[in-house]
């Protein structure tokens, strides 16, 4: 129960921040937690009239002070960097439901309030959807405009990006739809021409300058106003959803700064995406809007009403069964059109069974790339944490931006935005396409009623594009490693997809040319006749993108659904599944962790990964505290301690909770009380009644024994005690204990022997033990 938060003995200590050293990596700067906007501040405004009537009862016997007669502000809340008590929160919500149901039968107004309470969840989801969608749309539009701003300006209106500017022009031709007189490059605006070396240098200079400006603004805003706005946010979101408190991470300032700086970071041309940070943005929206509704504002578990545990073995086997079923259905071909659906979408030709071989090769590439990226990125981030590099986040961002912009501009495929690059790589060349990737040698087209073209020999522009894409692949492979994790909002979906899409397009064009020149080979004979449209390079790009993204994130089913939603290519679910599954197998063989799990472990977050199996034969007594060399467990006796004695225990220890026992001799367990609730309750009692002094007795019993005359009034704190703390015996196997913590979301578990208290196991203890069993540094677990 170690806690790096407050160690003082007064209520004021509750608002002291946690050690900045423990949060440097997630924040990148020092934060002040004196006011947080994702958890309501504690209300300490106690009216002077809110006191108990008299110090003494009849015959001079001190009146028992029961703090549960009235709700105590702050009791039941949590301190920063602590884990919530899921069981207590669920019990609170259950009691609230019962109270509402009981009152709804008493009056019409109470019934209306009950209906409103039941409907509030749907209203909240509506608001979250509207707010998240609006912000996502604004981010996307702004990023497109600012990305194009690096290359030029629209004369009709500076707020138009390149595409919208040319839409409004009457002089734009279809063949050159990206060129129009209304859009001027910076060279044309400054030196009057877009031709020649000086014009090229001017455009180059302006491109790099804008990139540096955008990245400088992004990192400066993050550093100055919202340090939690950096990174993708997904590792922290996973940890928060599992029950951890990181105040301010989902607050208003974080939302506002992340929205602004995400646009700036993407527009700067850095090798990062906005999909991961958009998850953080959406979670901020949900958390902020939750405070509009009482049942969510006052219950941490309700705000995290997302299950973070699922048996991955079942999920994985279900996914494999679906793959087999889909492959079988594809082989049977029930619809007679070589497709899984009646209506074909996206590409112009179906895939063949033999193409599974290159798809699996793309899966192997994606797995290798994923494992390499995770190891390299974690090594770089660890270097950033342990060296002086981490002390200069602004300089790091500017240097990486300068290198990225200088190397990206000469190559048209790295100069364009990553989303635009992926879109072009996914494109299936048709009759109306004028892209460099579609500039094949002219051949007679027999399918005049279709936009589909037969496989053709690659022209000079296609080979040029292949060389440029090869250089772009190497560039993306290396620059993404050092970009992800910098102190700007940075997602990983788009860069990973870009790496896979480039590799897939290169392989697709290679297969296309192989089929054209060697259609009589045994692998093409029978399904790829001369003049046919056999290979779709855009499909290979789509499969490669899924493979690389799967290798980095280790997603499987959800990734296939995402790719289907992105492309609409229902016909290509089987290639996507084959590549994704192969990618996961290969990546898992080289390293079990995905990128987000690796960053969770790097930052020491208390997250129990459900797919990490515990196979060691240890018992609860091997993990519990106190150890043999440790001092005895700090406990509170249910009816034999004074306020002064309890405050001394609080001041001399840093535990976030204490077991309550019958006596020091018996050590029979009664319950468990949180340190925070003790401090708040005692402080509240001192404010409400002057007679509560250090010698006042504290009782956790149901009935209080008679007190001597003229003794100070006692405190009855049974109401803040958990009467049913979760316990295990000392001989319980640790694999069972770990499973219990995962499935129930426990923050601590008491260890007993024949009903006698022996020790305690916290979530942090389990994480340290698992790290030790895996030959990792157990001190890497930073938070309680």
């Amino acid at each position: 129960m170690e806690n790096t938060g407050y160690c003082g003995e007064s209520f004021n200590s509750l608002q002291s921040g946690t050690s900045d050293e423990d949060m440097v990596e997630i924040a990148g700067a020092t934060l002040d937690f004196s006011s947080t906007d994702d958890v309501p501040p504690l209300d300490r405004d106690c009216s002077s009239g809110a006191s108990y009537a008299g110090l003494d009862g009849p015959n001079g016997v001190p009146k028992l002070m029961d703090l549960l007669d009235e709700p105590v502000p702050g009791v039941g809340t949590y301190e920063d960097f602590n884990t919530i008590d899921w069981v207590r929160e669920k019990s609170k919500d259950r009691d609230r439901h019962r109270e509402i149901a009981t009152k709804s039968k008493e009056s019409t107004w109470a019934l209306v309030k009950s209906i409103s309470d039941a409907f509030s969840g749907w209203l909240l989801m509506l608001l979250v959807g509207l707010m998240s969608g609006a912000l996502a749309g604004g981010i996307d539009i702004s990023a497109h405009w600012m990305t194009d701003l690096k290359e030029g300006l629209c004369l009709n209106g500076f707020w138009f990006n390149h595409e919208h500017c040319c839409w409004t022009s009457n002089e734009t031709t279809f063949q050159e739809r990206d060129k129009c007189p209304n859009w001027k490059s910076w060279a044309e605006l400054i030196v009057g021409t877009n031709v020649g070396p000086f014009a090229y240098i001017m455009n180059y200079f302006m491109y790099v300058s804008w990139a540096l400006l955008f990245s400088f603004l992004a990192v400066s805003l993050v550093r100055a106003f919202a340090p939690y706005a950096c990174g993708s946010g997904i590792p922290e979101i996973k940890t928060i959803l599992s029950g951890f408190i990181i105040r301010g991470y989902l607050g208003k300032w974080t939302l506002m700064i992340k929205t602004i700086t995400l646009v700036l970071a993407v527009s700067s041309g850095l090798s990062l995406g906005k999909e991961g940070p958009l998850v953080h943005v959406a979670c901020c929206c949900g958390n902020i809007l939750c405070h509009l509704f009482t049942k969510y504002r006052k219950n941490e578990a309700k705000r995290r009403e997302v299950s973070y545990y699922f048996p991955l073995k079942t999920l994985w086997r279900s996914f494999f069964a679906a793959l087999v079923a889909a492959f079988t259905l594809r082989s049977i071909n029930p619809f007679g059109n070589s497709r899984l659906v009646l209506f074909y979408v996206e590409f112009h030709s179906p895939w063949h069974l033999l193409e599974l071989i290159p798809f699996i090769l793309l899966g192997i590439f994606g797995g290798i790339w994923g494992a390499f990226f995770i190891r390299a990125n974690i090594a770089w981030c660890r270097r950033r944490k342990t060296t002086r590099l981490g002390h200069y986040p602004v300089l790091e961002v500017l240097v990486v931006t300068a290198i990225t912009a200088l190397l990206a501009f000469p190559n048209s495929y790295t100069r364009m935005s990553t989303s635009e690059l992926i879109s072009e790589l996914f494109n299936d060349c048709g009759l109306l396409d004028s892209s460099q990737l579609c500039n094949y040698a002219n051949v007679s087209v027999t399918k005049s009623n279709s936009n589909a073209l037969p496989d053709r020999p690659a022209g000079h522009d296609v080979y040029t594009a292949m060389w440029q894409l090869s250089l772009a692949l190497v560039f993306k492979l290396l620059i993404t490693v050092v970009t992800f994790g910098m102190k700007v909002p940075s997602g990983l979906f788009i860069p990973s997809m870009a790496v896979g899409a480039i590799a897939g397009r290169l392989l697709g064009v290679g297969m296309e040319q192989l089929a054209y020149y060697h259609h009589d080979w045994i692998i093409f004979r029978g399904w790829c006749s001369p003049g046919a449209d056999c290979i779709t390079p855009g499909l290979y790009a789509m499969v490669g993108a899924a493979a690389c993204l799967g290798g980095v994130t280790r997603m499987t089913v959800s990734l296939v659904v995402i790719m289907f939603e992105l492309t609409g290519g229902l016909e290509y679910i089987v290639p996507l599944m084959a590549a994704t599954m192969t990618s996961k197998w290969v990546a898992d063989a080289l390293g079990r962790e995905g990128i987000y799990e690796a960053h969770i472990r790097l930052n020491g977050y208390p997250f129990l990964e459900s797919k990490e199996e515990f196979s060691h034969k240890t018992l609860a007594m091997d993990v519990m505290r106190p150890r043999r060399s440790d001092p005895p467990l700090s406990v509170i006796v249910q009816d034999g301690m004074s306020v002064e004695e309890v405050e001394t225990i609080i001041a001399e220890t840093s535990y976030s909770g204490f077991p309550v026992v019958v006596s020091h001799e018996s050590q029979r367990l009664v319950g468990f009380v949180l340190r925070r609730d003790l401090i708040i309750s005692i402080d509240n009692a001192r404010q409400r009644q002057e007679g509560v002094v250090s010698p006042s007795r504290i009782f956790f019993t149901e009935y209080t024994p008679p007190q001597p005359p003229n003794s100070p009034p006692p405190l009855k704190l049974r109401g803040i005690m958990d009467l049913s703390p979760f316990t295990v015996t000392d001989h319980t196997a640790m694999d069972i204990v770990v499973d219990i913590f995962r499935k129930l979301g426990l923050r601590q578990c008491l260890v007993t022997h024949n009903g006698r208290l022996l020790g305690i196991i916290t979530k942090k203890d389990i994480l340290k033990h698992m790290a030790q069993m895996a030959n990792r540094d157990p001190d890497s677990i930073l938070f309680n």
Side-chain angles (χ1 to χ4, degrees):
M1 303 299 294
E2 292 174 359
N3 186 359
T4 57
Y6 59 89
C7 298
E9 55 184 278
S10 69
F11 179 81
N12 294 330
S13 65
L14 292 173
Q15 295 187 346
S16 62
T18 303
S19 171
D20 291 334
E21 294 298 319
D22 286 348
M23 64 184 196
V24 166
E25 184 55 28
I26 48 174
T30 302
L31 293 182
D32 178 14
F33 288 107
S34 59
S35 62
T36 59
D37 46 65
D38 66 332
V39 177
L42 299 178
D43 184 9
R44 296 193 59 216
D45 184 16
C46 299
S47 174
S48 59
S51 61
Y52 291 90
L55 274 172
D56 299 331
N59 303 321
V61 177
K63 181 177 179 180
L64 179 67
M65 185 171 181
D66 188 349
L67 293 181
L68 274 299
D69 289 343
E70 298 179 14
V72 179
V75 170
T77 59
Y78 302 94
E79 204 186 0
D80 201 15
F81 296 135
N82 269 253
T83 304
I84 71 171
D85 189 332
W86 287 93
V87 178
R88 181 172 71 169
E89 297 298 303
K90 291 294 183 182
S91 298
K92 284 168 53 179
D93 189 59
R94 182 175 62 248
D95 294 341
R96 188 188 64 83
H97 270 293
R98 288 173 178 171
E99 183 181 358
I100 291 176
T102 302
K103 289 183 177 180
S104 65
K105 301 175 183 178
E106 299 175 355
S107 65
T108 305
W109 175 242
L111 178 62
V112 171
K113 290 178 67 176
S114 174
I115 296 174
S116 173
D117 180 79
F119 182 71
S120 62
W122 294 99
L123 179 59
L124 174 61
M125 292 302 102
L126 175 64
L127 295 176
V128 171
L130 291 173
M131 187 174 180
S132 302
L135 287 176
I139 289 172
D140 196 55
I141 293 172
S142 302
H144 281 158
W145 171 67
M146 294 182 70
T147 299
D148 290 345
L149 191 63
K150 294 186 298 183
E151 299 186 7
L153 198 65
C154 184
L155 299 182
N156 287 352
F158 71 92
W159 55 87
F160 289 124
N161 61 24
H162 193 168
E163 185 180 10
H164 291 165
C165 183
C166 292
W167 277 0
T168 60
S169 175
N170 296 325
E171 303 176 40
T172 306
T173 62
F174 186 83
Q175 288 76 14
E176 295 185 339
R177 49 189 177 275
D178 60 335
K179 297 179 181 179
C180 61
N182 297 332
W183 179 265
K184 297 292 184 182
S185 67
W186 290 111
E188 290 178 288
L189 291 172
I190 296 174
V191 300
T193 180
N194 202 35
V195 181
F198 187 71
Y200 181 84
I201 293 173
M202 179 57 65
N203 285 328
Y204 204 154
F205 173 78
M206 293 301 296
Y207 181 92
V208 175
S209 300
W210 279 110
L212 289 172
L213 175 62
F214 292 156
S215 62
F216 175 74
L217 290 175
V219 69
S220 299
L221 289 173
V222 167
R223 185 174 174 83
F225 297 104
Y228 282 160
C230 66
S232 72
I234 292 182
E236 290 78 14
I237 294 299
K238 292 182 68 173
T239 308
I240 290 172
L241 288 179
S242 72
F244 196 57
I245 300 287
I246 306 180
R247 291 187 179 176
Y249 200 86
L250 301 178
K252 295 185 288 292
W253 269 107
T254 301
L255 172 63
M256 183 170 66
I257 297 302
K258 187 138 195 173
T259 301
I260 297 172
T261 55
L262 179 56
V263 174
L264 292 167
V266 171
S267 303
S268 67
L270 288 167
S271 184
L272 48 82
K274 54 181 179 290
E275 282 65 30
L278 281 175
V279 174
H280 187 185
V281 168
C283 288
C284 289
C285 295
N287 180 69
I288 292 169
L289 293 172
C290 274
H291 288 87
L292 300 177
F293 303 90
T294 305
K295 72 176 181 180
Y296 295 103
R297 181 175 67 250
K298 295 185 177 181
N299 196 296
E300 294 287 350
K302 291 291 291 182
R303 291 214 294 271
R304 292 163 171 80
E305 214 163 39
V306 176
S307 175
Y308 77 103
Y309 174 80
F310 190 85
L312 286 185
K313 287 184 178 178
T314 303
L315 176 64
W316 184 240
R317 289 166 184 168
S318 301
F319 181 62
F320 181 75
L323 171 62
V324 175
F327 182 79
T328 304
L329 188 64
R330 173 66 176 77
S331 303
I332 297 173
N333 192 17
F335 302 119
N337 58 0
S338 299
R339 300 188 177 101
L340 289 174
V341 291
L342 288 172
F343 304 101
Y344 176 68
V345 293
E346 193 61 25
F347 298 116
H348 302 113
S349 61
W351 59 279
H352 193 268
L353 293 177
L354 289 174
E355 287 186 280
L356 283 176
I357 297 174
F359 295 153
I360 290 174
L361 290 176
L362 286 173
I364 295 173
F365 171 79
I368 295 174
W369 147 248
F372 160 77
F373 174 81
I374 292 170
R375 291 191 179 186
N377 180 254
I378 292 299
W380 181 259
C381 290
R382 183 174 289 111
R383 182 178 180 83
R384 182 187 291 124
K385 285 171 65 79
T386 57
T387 64
R388 295 181 61 85
L389 176 63
H391 299 160
Y392 305 100
V394 177
L395 181 61
E396 180 192 11
V397 170
L398 291 178
V399 169
V400 173
T401 302
I403 294 174
T404 302
L406 288 170
L407 296 178
F409 186 84
N411 189 334
S412 60
Y413 291 107
T414 52
R415 186 193 314 170
M416 66 177 66
S417 68
T418 312
S419 299
E420 186 181 351
L421 170 63
I422 294 173
S423 178
E424 183 158 340
L425 294 172
F426 281 7
N427 181 43
D428 184 23
C429 293
L431 291 169
L432 304 178
D433 285 303
S434 59
S435 169
Q436 187 180 12
L437 281 170
C438 298
N439 195 1
Y440 290 85
N442 293 324
V443 295
S444 59
V445 179
T446 57
K447 301 178 182 179
S448 57
N449 61 341
S450 170
N451 192 37
L453 290 174
D455 289 343
R456 298 156 290 160
H460 177 267
D461 285 350
V462 175
Y463 286 114
T464 302
M466 293 300 101
W467 278 109
Q468 289 179 327
L469 285 175
S470 299
L471 294 174
L473 177 62
V474 175
F475 171 72
K476 290 287 186 182
L477 285 172
L478 298 177
I479 202 65
T480 307
V481 170
V482 298
T483 302
F484 186 71
M486 294 195 305
K487 301 306 178 186
V488 292
S490 55
L492 197 57
F493 274 50
I494 292 299
S496 300
M497 289 179 64
V499 169
I502 294 172
R505 189 78 187 202
L506 291 171
L507 180 61
V509 173
M511 287 291 295
E512 181 187 46
Q513 296 305 299
L514 199 65
Y516 177 79
Y517 287 108
H518 304 283
H519 56 266
D520 56 342
W521 283 10
I522 189 171
I523 60 173
F524 300 116
R525 191 185 307 158
W527 67 277
C528 187
S529 57
D533 185 15
C534 303
I535 305 295
T536 306
L539 169 61
Y540 285 72
M542 185 176 73
V543 173
C548 282
L549 184 55
V552 171
T553 63
R554 309 297 164 86
M555 293 190 300
T556 50
V557 177
S558 56
L559 176 57
V560 173
V561 175
I562 289 172
M563 294 303 300
F564 166 62
E565 291 176 346
L566 287 174
T567 62
L570 183 64
E571 168 71 9
Y572 303 105
I573 281 184
V574 175
L576 289 172
M577 292 169 72
T580 303
M581 200 164 92
T582 304
S583 172
K584 177 175 173 57
W585 278 341
V586 172
D588 282 348
L590 300 174
R592 297 290 297 177
E593 290 181 321
I595 184 64
Y596 302 125
E597 291 77 19
H599 273 270
I600 286 174
R601 182 165 60 84
L602 176 68
N603 291 331
Y605 299 148
F607 182 78
L608 279 173
E609 181 58 50
S610 57
K611 69 181 180 182
E612 186 176 356
E613 297 184 0
F614 187 87
S615 58
H616 305 283
K617 296 181 179 180
T618 52
L619 302 177
M621 66 171 65
D622 302 322
V623 181
M624 74 176 189
R625 288 180 293 159
R627 307 280 195 268
R628 288 184 176 88
S629 59
D630 293 344
L633 189 67
S634 296
V635 297
I636 294 177
V637 179
Q638 66 173 355
D639 60 357
M641 301 187 73
S642 65
V643 170
E644 182 179 14
E645 291 171 331
V646 172
E647 289 181 329
T648 300
I649 292 178
I650 293 174
E652 293 178 352
T653 63
S654 58
Y655 308 132
S656 59
F658 304 93
V660 180
V661 296
V662 174
S663 66
H664 286 293
E665 294 76 21
S666 69
Q667 289 288 305
R668 297 290 178 180
L669 183 64
V670 177
F672 190 86
V673 63
L674 293 178
R675 171 197 184 98
R676 179 181 177 88
D677 290 351
L678 266 178
I679 295 176
I680 293 175
S681 299
I682 294 173
D683 188 74
N684 187 74
R686 289 183 182 277
Q687 290 185 17
R688 292 191 177 194
Q689 189 173 12
E690 294 181 358
V692 176
V693 291
S694 295
S696 298
R697 311 299 292 177
I698 295 180
F699 293 95
F700 293 91
T701 54
E702 188 173 359
Y703 301 103
T704 307
Q707 298 298 302
N710 301 321
S711 61
L715 277 71
K716 184 179 178 182
L717 299 183
R718 184 179 175 85
I720 67 171
M721 181 176 63
D722 181 4
L723 295 172
S724 56
F726 202 93
T727 61
V728 295
T729 65
D730 51 343
H731 283 83
T732 305
M734 272 308 297
D735 59 335
I736 297 177
V737 177
V738 171
D739 215 27
I740 290 172
F741 268 78
R742 283 174 177 158
K743 293 180 178 179
L744 298 182
L746 299 182
R747 59 184 295 172
Q748 75 271 325
C749 177
L750 300 175
V751 183
T752 62
H753 178 76
N754 293 335
R756 188 173 184 270
L757 179 66
L758 291 184
I760 187 171
I761 299 176
T762 67
K763 195 174 185 179
K764 187 173 182 179
D765 294 328
I766 288 182
L767 289 165
K768 283 191 171 185
H769 181 66
M770 294 175 69
Q772 191 173 11
M773 292 294 100
N775 295 320
R776 299 197 304 262
D777 180 14
D779 293 330
S780 62
I781 310 300
L782 300 179
F783 301 111
N784 187 16

